[in-house]
Amino acid sequence: ELEAPWRVTVEAMRQADKLKELGVEVQSRIKTAPTARVSIIWLKRLAGLNKGLGLDSSVVPIFREILEADPGDSDANFALASYYREHQQHFESVKILENFLELVEDEASCLGALRMLCELLDRDLNDLPAAARHYESILEYEPADPGSIEALERHYRVVDDVDACFAFPQKLKRMQ
C-alpha cells in the first residue's frame, strides 16, 4: 500500500497518460476530418488538452494552424492574444487583435477585441494615445461605456486638448 502522497502522484501520472492518449486520438481525427471546420473543432480540443497538461507553449502552433484555416476564428484569436499577453509579448498580442478587428463583423467579437486591445495599450503598454482611438470605437457601439469615457477624459487631460475636453460631452450626447 502506497502512502497518500505517492498515491496522488501515481494517479496524476495515470491521468496524464490518459490525456496523452486522448491527444494522439484527437491528432488522428484532425488529419482525417472531412472538412476544415471539423478539423478546427478538433484542433481546439487538442489545444484544450495541451493546456490541461500544462503544455501552454504547444497551443501556439495549434492556434496558428486554426488561424491559417480560418483567420476570423474568434476563439483562436482571443486565445492566442491572451497567451501572448500572459507571456509579456504585448506587441504580438496587439498585432493579432488589430488583424482580427479588420476581419470581424459581429458586434460582440468586435467589442471583446476592442476592450482587450484597449487594456493592452493603456494598461500594459502605457500608451493611452494609441488606445484612445479604440476607446472611441467602443463608444460607437456602447455610447455609455464608463471605462471608455473615463479613459478618453483622462487622455484629453493628458494631451492638454482643452477643445476636445469640452467637446467630448456633446459628442457623447450625439452618439446616444
Side-chain angles (χ1 to χ4, degrees):
E1 183 74 24
L2 295 173
E3 293 181 25
W6 290 104
R7 208 173 314 139
V8 170
T9 304
V10 169
E11 184 58 31
M13 289 171 51
R14 285 185 188 138
Q15 287 179 343
D17 287 341
K18 286 180 185 176
L19 285 173
K20 286 177 186 173
E21 289 173 15
L22 188 56
V24 170
E25 180 184 336
V26 168
Q27 285 177 333
S28 71
R29 290 197 182 204
I30 291 168
K31 292 176 185 169
T32 60
T35 65
R37 189 73 209 140
V38 172
S39 179
I40 289 172
I41 291 167
W42 284 107
L43 281 166
K44 288 179 182 178
R45 289 186 181 165
L46 180 62
L49 282 172
N50 286 353
K51 193 162 177 93
L53 287 170
L55 305 171
D56 281 358
S57 61
S58 69
V59 300
V60 172
I62 294 170
F63 285 124
R64 291 268 182 216
E65 190 175 338
I66 292 171
L67 292 177
E68 283 177 26
D70 181 7
D73 186 281
S74 57
D75 294 335
N77 276 289
F78 283 119
L80 202 53
S82 295
Y83 172 84
Y84 284 128
R85 185 177 184 192
E86 287 172 22
H87 291 84
Q88 305 298 311
Q89 296 176 7
H90 299 305
F91 293 110
E92 190 66 30
S93 187
V94 167
K95 186 169 69 172
I96 288 167
L97 291 169
E98 286 180 341
N99 289 340
F100 178 64
L101 281 169
E102 291 176 14
L103 301 170
V104 71
E105 293 182 10
D106 72 286
E107 185 176 322
S109 294
C110 186
L111 277 169
L114 285 168
R115 284 194 172 98
M116 185 181 235
L117 191 54
C118 287
E119 285 179 19
L120 274 163
L121 292 168
D122 189 4
R123 295 187 186 117
D124 297 346
L125 295 173
N126 200 25
D127 190 355
L128 182 57
R133 68 184 173 100
H134 299 297
Y135 282 123
E136 288 174 354
S137 295
I138 290 173
L139 291 176
E140 289 175 16
Y141 291 101
E142 293 185 1
D145 184 69
S148 298
I149 293 169
E150 182 274 325
L152 285 170
E153 288 173 341
R154 189 168 30 98
H155 169 66
Y156 294 137
R157 281 192 307 272
V158 168
V159 296
D160 202 26
D161 189 343
V162 176
D163 293 334
C165 225
F166 285 116
F168 186 61
Q170 284 80 27
K171 184 178 179 180
L172 280 176
K173 285 181 184 175
R174 284 192 306 269
M175 291 173 119
Q176 295 174 347

